[in-house]
Amino acid sequence: QLQLVESGGGLVQAGSSLSLSCAASGITVGIINMGWYRRRAGNQRELIGLVSTSGYVNYGDSVKGRFTISRDNAKNTVSLEMKNIQPDDTAVYYCFADHRRSSMAIDNYWGQGTQVTVSS
């Protein structure tokens, strides 16, 4: 089992920066990718980005150039830095990790979500 806990959400003004962090605990050996998704009101969950164990990041199209994801394998954490944040970035942000339970099984884990609200 893996637990993911996000922190850092809140209310910010448009144009500012905000950082989110996610810490994994439990059976952390076997984590493959870590990253972030978000769900804006009325929309489906969308990918922000996933970072592999080697540090390669695959970003979603909607945030390229503004958001940066980083990972600390030693601490089992993944961070999301958001710059020039806009009202359209208002969403619940979810931490994600996939975890190899065995040679034949990979499980997906989600954090509880953290609300980010951007005022104009």
Side-chain angles (χ1 to χ4, degrees):
Q1 290 287 332
L2 197 65
Q3 294 81 42
L4 302 174
V5 178
E6 302 105 335
S7 61
L11 174 64
V12 296
Q13 288 189 329
S16 61
S17 298
L18 182 69
S19 294
L20 305 181
S21 184
C22 172
S25 62
I27 304 176
T28 56
V29 173
I31 294 176
I32 307 172
N33 300 301
M34 297 186 75
W36 296 90
Y37 285 78
R38 70 182 179 185
R39 187 190 299 273
R40 294 181 279 188
N43 290 3
Q44 293 183 339
R45 187 169 53 202
E46 63 177 318
L47 171 70
I48 295 175
L50 292 176
V51 52
S52 68
T53 52
S54 65
Y56 175 79
V57 185
N58 179 34
Y59 289 101
D61 290 337
S62 64
V63 302
K64 282 182 179 178
R66 294 190 301 125
F67 292 5
T68 301
I69 294 175
S70 60
R71 176 175 175 176
D72 187 328
N73 290 329
K75 296 180 180 179
N76 296 307
T77 59
V78 61
S79 299
L80 173 63
E81 293 188 32
M82 300 179 282
K83 296 182 178 180
N84 189 27
I85 198 168
Q86 297 299 313
D88 194 44
D89 295 316
T90 295
V92 179
Y93 286 73
Y94 296 92
C95 179
F96 168 86
D98 52 21
H99 180 268
R100 183 174 298 281
R101 175 162 40 91
S102 71
S103 61
M104 297 295 291
I106 295 175
D107 299 320
N108 295 334
Y109 291 89
W110 298 91
Q112 79 282 2
T114 184
Q115 176 72 46
V116 173
T117 303
V118 185
S119 63
S120 58

